[in-house]
Amino acid sequence: MRAPLLRMSGLHKRFGTRVLFDGAELALEAGHGYVLSGANGCGKTTLLRMIAGLEASLHGTLEFRAQPATTARYPEAWRREIVYVHQQPYLFHTTTEKNLEYGLARRGVPPVERQARVREALEWAGLADRSDVPPHKLSGGEAQRAALARAKLLNPALLLLDEPTANLDGNARKQVLDLVTALCIDDHTVLIASHDPEIMRLAILDRLTLAERRIVVE
Ligand SMILES: Nc1ncnc2c1ncn2[C@@H]1O[C@H](COP(=O)(O)OP(=O)(O)OP(=O)(O)O)[C@@H](O)[C@H]1O
Ligand SMILES: [Mg+2]
């Protein structure tokens, strides 16, 4: 059997005396989409941050593409392949277009190709007419769509989405839901922390629940 794309084992995490994970195990298969649910404060964001190398644990190992590491010594090379989209979209104070272009420039993609890929991603996210707009002038839904487009452009091996539809309603939520659905159908490996019933209902997602310091596969 093929090794999972990502495996975490023996994971321990605490903040002060509050133990969040105690020997938690998780395996994500390539090409699958997962929704991670669980009560407020149970550790969904913390788990995503650990997978993204933004939060260390005292014990436990991570394996990505069968390469082992610890969350305390997170390999820099993984950061290009594992992309985390914050719940509050984190956009730089420049235009939407430049926000999308930045990661490609850092990866050495030539300018002409960069511009073509950015244009395509802006269209995918329905933001073609917002390319010159700075992030503080985008609506919440537009900012979330820009963050999703920027992540998709980087073609990550593993995409981590933290509550992509939180704080959105009506059409803004529906537009983000459509993009999230497209990303999941598109053969990406995606882990979405969410308790949005629409996301939890997506048949294309495998279900994970954080319960009692464990990760339960349903
Ligand atoms: N840097 C930190 N320092 C101390 N405690 C923290 C820190 N980050 C998170 N916590 C605590 O860890 C617990 C889990 O937080 P986390 O944000 O991972 O939960 P969550 O499942 O994402 O919650 P929500 O559904 O509200 O987004 C909470 O009790 C939180 O207060
Ligand atoms: Mg959270």
Side-chain angles (χ1 to χ4, degrees):
M1 217 180 83
R2 228 158 35 118
L5 179 69
L6 180 115
R7 187 196 295 280
M8 302 182 101
S9 46
L11 200 72
H12 289 257
K13 182 69 186 173
R14 65 166 70 211
F15 288 114
T17 55
R18 169 129 164 68
V19 178
L20 279 188
F21 305 114
D22 189 14
E25 311 284 328
L26 174 72
L28 303 177
E29 302 287 339
H32 285 233
Y34 298 86
V35 61
L36 176 68
S37 62
N40 285 123
C42 69
K44 299 181 294 298
T45 296
T46 304
L47 183 70
L48 295 186
R49 287 173 52 81
M50 290 171 87
I51 296 173
L54 302 170
E55 192 87 57
S57 71
L58 287 177
H59 311 279
T61 53
L62 269 178
E63 256 176 62
F64 181 61
R65 299 191 192 284
Q67 298 291 314
T70 64
T71 62
R73 278 179 173 270
Y74 192 88
E76 282 306 310
W78 293 9
R79 295 188 196 278
R80 289 193 166 204
E81 297 211 73
I82 301 179
V83 169
Y84 171 62
V85 180
H86 295 240
Q87 179 172 347
Q88 299 293 340
Y90 181 80
L91 298 168
F92 306 116
H93 288 284
T94 174
T95 62
T96 306
E97 188 175 24
K98 289 216 161 58
N99 262 283
L100 267 64
E101 205 181 334
Y102 179 75
L104 293 180
R106 286 204 55 179
R107 282 161 165 80
V109 177
V112 175
E113 183 187 337
R114 233 156 53 204
Q115 279 152 22
R117 283 172 63 182
V118 166
R119 243 192 328 272
E120 196 183 318
L122 285 170
E123 269 170 33
W124 174 79
L127 293 170
D129 60 347
R130 310 298 277 152
S131 62
D132 294 334
V133 174
H136 66 274
K137 291 195 178 157
L138 294 178
S139 69
E142 286 171 340
Q144 185 58 251
R145 284 188 278 137
L148 290 174
R150 185 174 62 181
K152 174 187 158 66
L153 255 186
L154 301 176
N155 203 15
L158 175 57
L159 181 57
L160 308 168
L161 305 181
D162 199 356
E163 313 238 11
T165 57
N167 316 317
L168 299 179
D169 50 26
N171 203 35
R173 173 162 162 268
K174 162 117 189 24
Q175 287 168 325
V176 168
L177 271 170
D178 287 347
L179 295 187
V180 170
T181 308
L183 284 170
C184 294
I185 290 171
D186 222 14
D187 241 17
H188 289 279
T189 314
V190 189
L191 175 60
I192 312 167
S194 182
H195 26 225
D196 184 323
E198 288 287 335
I199 289 185
M200 292 176 70
R201 253 204 301 273
L202 287 178
I204 42 178
L205 295 176
D206 295 323
R207 261 145 266 282
L208 303 171
T209 306
L210 275 183
E212 302 272 333
R213 303 173 197 166
R214 288 175 307 118
I215 298 155
V216 183
V217 182
E218 288 173 35

